[in-house]
Amino acid sequence: RLQQMRPADETVGSRASRECAATTSGGHLVVLIVCGGILLSAALLTPSKEDLKIGPLTLPSICMLKNTTGIPCPGCGLTRSMVAVVDGDWRGSFAYHRLGPVVVGFLILQLLYRLSWIGLPALRTQVNRAGKLLDWALIPLMALLLINWIPTLMSTVRSLL
């Protein structure tokens, strides 16, 4: 009886493995689409001092903190900075937000990782090692955003006093 049950158990396990792989592939696809969409948007937009433009259309600011209190959030200027990087304007990028180039680099690495994971299934073990490091890199990146915000916040508070 145990021998008869093993093939059925293996079939169920194989099915579960395929379902898990499909879910994981879906997660990689979502991150790939989001990162690609952000980079594509950065290529289509044009930065200006206080806003972004797509062709002649000026896009409104979506920062709730700045719109309600006048205090910029840790990400204020980040989109304009990423747009400037994609346009090749490094000096402008650093003027909008000091971490814009770092975020663009992170998005490109995420894009490459997800493309490799989806497109090279035979190398997933090696790709996963690099991907885990990249995923963990999000924590120091968030910390850098907060640390970078401190001088901006202090300058804003001083100007309000």
Side-chain angles (χ1 to χ4, degrees):
R1 284 190 161 175
L2 288 174
Q3 290 177 349
Q4 291 174 348
M5 292 177 67
R6 281 189 183 158
D9 289 343
E10 288 174 6
T11 304
V12 171
S14 298
R15 186 180 311 137
S17 295
R18 283 193 306 273
E19 288 173 5
C20 182
T23 303
T24 306
S25 294
H28 283 285
L29 187 59
V30 168
V31 175
L32 176 69
I33 290 169
V34 168
C35 290
I38 291 170
L39 292 170
L40 180 62
S41 297
L44 296 174
L45 295 170
T46 306
S48 66
K49 185 165 175 75
E50 290 297 320
D51 52 26
L52 290 165
K53 295 183 179 189
I54 185 161
L57 180 67
T58 299
L59 301 176
S61 171
I62 59 169
C63 181
M64 297 297 285
L65 184 65
K66 189 169 184 177
N67 289 342
T68 56
T69 66
I71 299 171
C73 76
C76 276
L78 194 54
T79 303
R80 286 175 285 149
S81 178
M82 291 189 305
V83 170
V85 167
V86 172
D87 286 345
D89 180 12
W90 291 89
R91 186 173 293 165
S93 174
F94 285 112
Y96 291 125
H97 196 288
R98 291 179 286 274
L99 294 177
V102 175
V103 173
V104 168
F106 180 79
L107 290 171
I108 290 170
L109 289 174
Q110 280 286 350
L111 193 72
L112 292 173
Y113 162 53
R114 306 304 168 157
L115 278 171
S116 299
W117 196 93
I118 292 169
L120 303 170
L123 299 176
R124 283 187 180 161
T125 304
Q126 293 88 346
V127 170
N128 273 339
R129 286 187 199 125
K132 286 183 184 194
L133 289 173
L134 188 58
D135 290 344
W136 279 102
L138 191 57
I139 295 169
L141 182 59
M142 291 296 120
L144 282 173
L145 280 168
L146 290 173
I147 292 167
N148 179 66
W149 184 47
I150 293 170
T152 305
L153 182 61
M154 293 177 72
S155 171
T156 305
V157 169
R158 270 191 230 122
S159 70
L160 293 173
L161 298 177

